[in-house]
Amino acid sequence: DISAQDREVIYSVARELKSSLFRDFHQFGPVALALSKPDIQEKIMGSDYLATIEGLRELQKHIDSDVPSIAKAASSNKSECDAPTVDNLQVVYTNLVTLLQQFS
């Protein structure tokens, strides 16, 4: 289950991604942490380009394999800002895939 605080982080990242055409690898670090993947977050936030790309790929795989169940559990709850977590995760995922396609 995703805590209210973690849903808020996901909402903030999704809002940022929607409002700007600029994408940065490090934008996805807080999402990894919100999804209880501090090891992936560490890779994404590091200064080693190859490790960062690897971390982004791991985040994509995690979302592919585990987030449907996470999203389903979270969909009945809304963050304090009343943004549906499932929609925000979709925004994050779409932008993550686009970014990886550009840099891979």
Side-chain angles (χ1 to χ4, degrees):
D1 197 18
I2 301 174
S3 72
Q5 182 178 358
D6 289 339
R7 287 193 303 270
E8 200 63 37
V9 168
I10 293 167
Y11 165 75
S12 294
V13 172
R15 186 181 68 219
E16 186 178 300
L17 289 167
K18 283 194 265 186
S19 68
S20 173
L21 295 176
F22 179 73
R23 302 289 171 268
D24 182 82
F25 298 142
H26 297 129
Q27 286 175 297
F28 297 93
V31 174
L33 195 58
L35 295 175
S36 301
K37 293 294 180 184
D39 53 325
I40 294 175
Q41 188 240 6
E42 189 175 313
K43 287 180 184 178
I44 292 171
M45 299 306 285
S47 59
D48 182 303
Y49 175 78
L50 294 177
T52 298
I53 295 295
E54 181 183 334
L56 292 170
R57 285 192 182 117
E58 287 178 23
L59 179 60
Q60 180 185 4
K61 287 178 187 171
H62 173 65
I63 292 173
D64 282 338
S65 63
D66 297 332
V67 168
S69 61
I70 294 170
K72 185 177 178 184
S75 64
S76 60
N77 300 318
K78 300 208 180 221
S79 66
E80 293 169 7
C81 58
D82 208 30
T85 303
V86 176
D87 293 344
N88 292 326
L89 284 170
Q90 184 62 43
V91 168
V92 168
Y93 182 78
T94 301
N95 282 277
L96 175 62
V97 170
T98 301
L99 187 69
L100 281 170
Q101 288 172 346
Q102 291 173 344
F103 288 92
S104 296

